[in-house]
Amino acid sequence: MDGRQLNRLGRRLIALARQASTSPGDRIPSSGEAAVLGEVVESPGCSIRQLCERTGFVQSHVSAIVAELVERGLLRTETDPADRRRTLVHPGTPLTRGVDRRLSPIDDTLATALGDADKAGEAAALIDRLAALLLTDQAATPSPVVSSAKGS
C-alpha cells in the first residue's frame, strides 16, 4: 500500500460511510460542517473556541458553520452561564436522530457494494480490526512529520 492507494481507500470508506448513514433526500454536509457536527456529537456543550481547536478552523469559519447549522435545526446554542461571553454548542434533535441512525451496522451497505454477503462479512471484520488499531487516543494525534532533508 502506498500513499495514493491509502488516499483512494479513505475516499471509498467515506463514500461507504455516507451510504450507510444517510437516507434518500438527506442533505450531505460539507467537510467543514461534518467536522463541526462530529465534534459537537462527541463533546456536547463545547464552546466555539474548543471547536476551533479541535477542527483546526479559524473562529470566523466555525461561527459561520455553527450559525448555518443552528438555522437548519441541527445544532442549538446557549450562552455559558459561567462565562456569558462564551457560546456553548449542543446537538439539535434532528442531529441526535441522525446519529442514532448512523450507529446501525454497515453490513447491508458492504453487501450492496461488494455484491456478496461473505465478502461483506470479511470486509467488516477487516474494517473493525483497522479501527481497533487506528482509532485510539494515541493514533488520533498524528506525530509531526520530520523531513529527511539536511539543513545547511
Side-chain angles (χ1 to χ4, degrees), residues 1-20 31 109 113 130:
M1 165 103 27
D2 59 26
R4 184 178 72 40
Q5 291 172 311
L6 182 59
N7 193 319
R8 286 183 60 215
L9 176 60
R11 287 193 317 262
R12 181 66 173 132
L13 289 173
I14 288 169
L16 288 170
R18 283 190 177 153
Q19 288 174 10
S31 57
T109 302
L130 188 60

Side-chain angles (χ1 to χ4, degrees), residues 7 17 77 112 141:
N7 193 319
T77 59
T112 300
T141 308

Side-chain angles (χ1 to χ4, degrees), residues 23-67:
S23 297
D26 283 354
R27 179 176 171 197
I28 304 297
S30 69
S31 57
E33 290 171 338
V36 169
L37 290 168
E39 290 301 328
V40 172
V41 167
E42 291 296 316
S43 301
C46 59
S47 69
I48 298 290
R49 180 177 181 207
Q50 289 169 322
L51 287 172
C52 293
E53 291 169 356
R54 293 177 185 156
T55 62
F57 301 147
V58 296
Q59 188 272 330
S60 59
H61 187 56
V62 170
S63 293
I65 289 172
V66 168

